[in-house]
Amino acid sequence: MTQSSFPFGSSSISTEDQSSSYMRMAQVDGVFATSETGTDLKVTASNASTVSVAAGEAWVQGTYYANSAALNVSVPTNSGGGSARNDLIVLRRDPSADATTVQYRTGGTSFPTLTQTLNGTWEIPLARVTVAAGASVVAPAGVADVRWFVGRPAVFGSTAYRRPPVRGQLHIDNGTDIYVGDGTTWNLLGRAEPPAAKTYVPVWSNQSGTAINWGTGTTNIGRYKLAFGNLCWIKIQLQVGGNASAYDDLPIGVTLPFAVQGSTRENFLVNFTSANSEGSGVGLAMVFPTEGTNRISRIRFPVSDTASGTPDVGDVNSANMLTNRPFNIRTGDIITITGWYEIA
């Protein structure tokens, strides 16, 4: 096996193959464009015997290519039978010709395959062209855009100051938040988080904003994990250490680690277990954005207005959780809230 490395003072780049090998490591093949909907090197047809390749730039196996004006490419007449012919327009790097050029390749019932020989002829696709049987012209619908595009390395920045959101560009904010540009805005893809969930301290209060004192020895746990873009999993568990003050008609709530997205309500599963012979209940914890986007403002349990017998639909109801209703929350009682929500 022969080893080689360059460029060094004693081993400079001196051949086309070395240059191609060196530069193709720096960028993938493709057309330079700010969007896949752009016209850079795009092929179009207009019911003529030629198709047009728009101006643009590209990179093919370490070789730069530029076309400064619209280029007309002749379409051979399909005189080979009663079937449509499937052709291919490619950008071809040909070291033997010392050139990268647009080429028209005729096919048959199938499209031609790309020629890709390392350090030899190498093609990337621009368009598929379908020529009707016996035709010498191509309709606009007969051209399918199949351009490859160059890749974009991820860039770093901060939330306070970002570069313009180039379509397809990855942007990493503050070392952890990954965004992708769509040409108009940066969209959150996800956050780099450790495998384990993180913790925070939930703050409990009633509807008027008064903090609730659950007593000495209370266990108040908040855990969260960010995943799947801007989704957040939470678990809140409160084990009461003492009897809290009664706040009549003031529902209790608790803070979230992050504010919710938009103006829609978010729902979480809640379980209450009494250590004081009041049984247990399963209900919903809800975010009302009109009352605050960073906290659960209602915890509700299903109840019935019927004193006895089977309730009908009109009797089914739900009750907000207060410190003393529908359960009298006392020492040892446990409230657990779990679920997912979309963060801002």
Side-chain angles (χ1 to χ4, degrees):
M1 177 182 291
T2 301
Q3 300 185 76
S4 63
S5 58
F6 49 79
F8 290 103
S10 59
S11 56
S12 60
I13 296 175
S14 58
T15 68
E16 287 182 1
D17 286 353
Q18 286 178 322
S19 176
S20 173
S21 298
Y22 179 65
M23 295 304 296
R24 67 172 173 251
M25 300 294 182
Q27 180 61 275
V28 297
D29 293 342
V31 174
F32 289 97
T34 57
S35 170
E36 72 277 13
T37 61
T39 61
D40 306 83
L41 296 183
K42 186 174 183 178
V43 179
T44 56
S46 57
N47 293 307
S49 59
T50 59
V51 293
S52 178
V53 182
E57 300 169 280
W59 188 258
V60 185
Q61 288 293 281
T63 303
Y64 171 78
Y65 169 83
N67 177 34
S68 60
L71 174 68
N72 290 325
V73 180
S74 297
V75 177
T77 300
N78 182 8
S79 57
S83 300
R85 190 186 67 213
N86 297 302
D87 301 339
L88 191 64
I89 295 180
V90 301
L91 197 56
R92 178 187 294 163
R93 176 186 182 272
D94 185 355
S96 65
D98 286 340
T100 298
T101 56
V102 173
Q103 297 291 325
Y104 192 102
R105 294 188 54 191
T106 57
T109 55
S110 299
F111 292 100
T113 58
L114 294 170
T115 298
Q116 293 186 328
T117 303
L118 202 60
N119 293 327
T121 300
W122 192 278
E123 298 173 339
I124 66 171
L126 295 179
R128 287 179 170 179
V129 179
T130 300
V131 185
S136 59
V137 300
V138 178
V143 176
D145 184 12
V146 293
R147 290 170 295 169
W148 293 354
F149 296 92
V150 296
R152 299 183 182 280
V155 295
F156 295 87
S158 67
T159 304
Y161 189 79
R162 297 182 184 137
R163 66 187 69 202
V166 175
R167 188 174 178 87
Q169 177 74 64
L170 291 178
H171 190 288
I172 302 174
D173 272 4
N174 306 317
T176 58
D177 301 347
I178 306 170
Y179 291 79
V180 62
D182 63 9
T184 302
T185 188
W186 290 106
N187 300 291
L188 181 66
L189 282 180
R191 288 184 168 93
E193 290 286 333
K198 291 186 176 181
T199 62
Y200 80 106
V201 179
V203 177
W204 296 81
S205 61
N206 64 25
Q207 189 178 11
S208 68
T210 301
I212 299 174
N213 182 1
W214 295 113
T216 303
T218 293
T219 301
N220 182 31
I221 300 171
R223 295 176 64 80
Y224 70 92
K225 183 170 177 59
L226 295 166
F228 311 117
N230 63 339
L231 290 182
C232 179
W233 169 83
I234 65 158
K235 178 170 66 176
I236 301 169
Q237 182 161 304
L238 174 75
Q239 184 166 1
V240 178
N243 298 345
S245 301
Y247 298 103
D248 291 342
D249 300 322
L250 291 176
I252 66 175
V254 62
T255 57
L256 295 166
F258 302 100
V260 301
Q261 172 69 44
S263 59
T264 57
R265 296 182 180 183
E266 295 283 358
N267 295 327
F268 305 91
L269 180 67
V270 58
N271 178 270
F272 174 83
T273 302
S274 174
N276 298 281
S277 302
E278 291 192 47
S280 62
V282 176
L284 285 178
M286 290 164 284
V287 177
F288 289 179
T290 55
E291 296 185 12
T293 60
N294 65 344
R295 70 187 298 270
I296 290 170
S297 57
R298 295 289 191 282
I299 299 174
R300 287 180 174 169
F301 292 90
V303 297
S304 173
D305 293 335
T306 303
S308 62
T310 304
D312 58 28
V313 173
D315 292 322
V316 177
N317 208 329
S318 66
N320 291 322
M321 175 174 255
L322 283 59
T323 56
N324 58 348
R325 294 202 310 266
F327 306 95
N328 185 15
I329 305 175
R330 289 171 287 172
T331 303
D333 292 352
I334 298 175
I335 301 173
T336 304
I337 300 172
T338 59
W340 291 85
Y341 74 104
E342 185 181 11
I343 70 174

